[in-house]
Amino acid sequence: MMTPVHVLVLGGTTEARRLAERLAGDRRVRVTTSLAGRVAAPRLPPGEVRIGGFGGPAGLAAWVREHGVDALVDATHPFAATMSRNAAEAAAQAHVPLLALRRPGWVAQDGDRWHSAGSLAVAAELLPALGERVFLTTGRMGLAAFAGAALDDLWFLVRSVDAPEPPCPARTEVLLDRGPFTLEGEREIIRRHRIDVLVTKDSGGDATAPKLAAAREAGIPVVVVRRPPVPEGVPVARTPEEAVEWVVRRLHASG
């Protein structure tokens, strides 16, 4: 019997879980999903699960070699730039193929009032000219960018899965919630809290997209933080199905 191909999925996203679900049903594949452990109660995918960091690219490369990983899929959040760089370096060190699984980014529609920002810091600089009551949906990491004295007059509604740690904006209300979100729910948040500007990362996908439609309907501006690029030379799959096809090609190559 052929030894299963061991695929390590760097996860934490819906796409990573869907990929693990598809691979776990194939007896030719052994799938391990690695989760960073930053969420208190993560949704665990099927297959083997590893929680915690690797200690940089050298640590990841060592784990890949020690556990006989044949292929690596970076299915982390589109903004997990450090982990993506570590994955590229580790794959090169361990001489295993690497694929990046990235859902497509959002595209502006008629009626959208989007303002593009290259970073959270740039997004913060744009806010005073756009509104006073901010719906901040960039997660609990990086809130320090909005904690400067220049933004003390603004009020922030910060939504995240787990409670953020300081520093936070001076005037902050925290909303603990996990997507997927509904259009009706996002409309209600904007209405109840009198939101006049939304800040989001270009995460893509459907789970958190309703806030964009709600902002469009309300006619409020949206600051969209652009994604960091995928490391140079790393192939990209846009869907879990494309990633499965890539793994299948690895099966044929090894068999």
Side-chain angles (χ1 to χ4, degrees), residues 42-69:
R43 297 173 178 171
L44 299 181
E48 301 172 38
V49 177
R50 178 193 181 280
I51 297 179
F54 291 96
L60 175 54
W63 198 95
V64 164
R65 288 190 292 261
E66 180 181 350
H67 292 83
V69 172

Side-chain angles (χ1 to χ4, degrees), residues 74-99:
D74 171 18
T76 56
H77 192 276
F79 283 82
T82 298
M83 190 65 237
S84 293
R85 287 194 300 270
N86 289 351
E89 293 180 28
Q93 292 178 22
H95 304 291
V96 297
L98 168 66
L99 176 74

Side-chain angles (χ1 to χ4, degrees), residues 223-238:
V223 179
V224 181
V225 181
R226 296 190 300 272
R227 299 178 175 191
V230 171
E232 185 175 356
V234 177
V236 178
R238 295 165 60 88

Side-chain angles (χ1 to χ4, degrees), residues 194-251:
R194 295 178 287 117
I195 299 298
D196 57 13
V197 58
L198 167 68
V199 182
T200 183
K201 294 177 177 178
D202 181 16
S203 301
D206 299 328
T208 61
K211 62 189 172 187
L212 301 174
R216 185 187 314 120
E217 291 179 358
I220 64 175
V222 180
V223 179
V224 181
V225 181
R226 296 190 300 272
R227 299 178 175 191
V230 171
E232 185 175 356
V234 177
V236 178
R238 295 165 60 88
T239 66
E241 291 73 24
E242 289 182 12
V244 169
E245 292 176 4
W246 181 83
V247 171
V248 169
R249 290 197 293 272
R250 306 275 81 73
L251 286 170

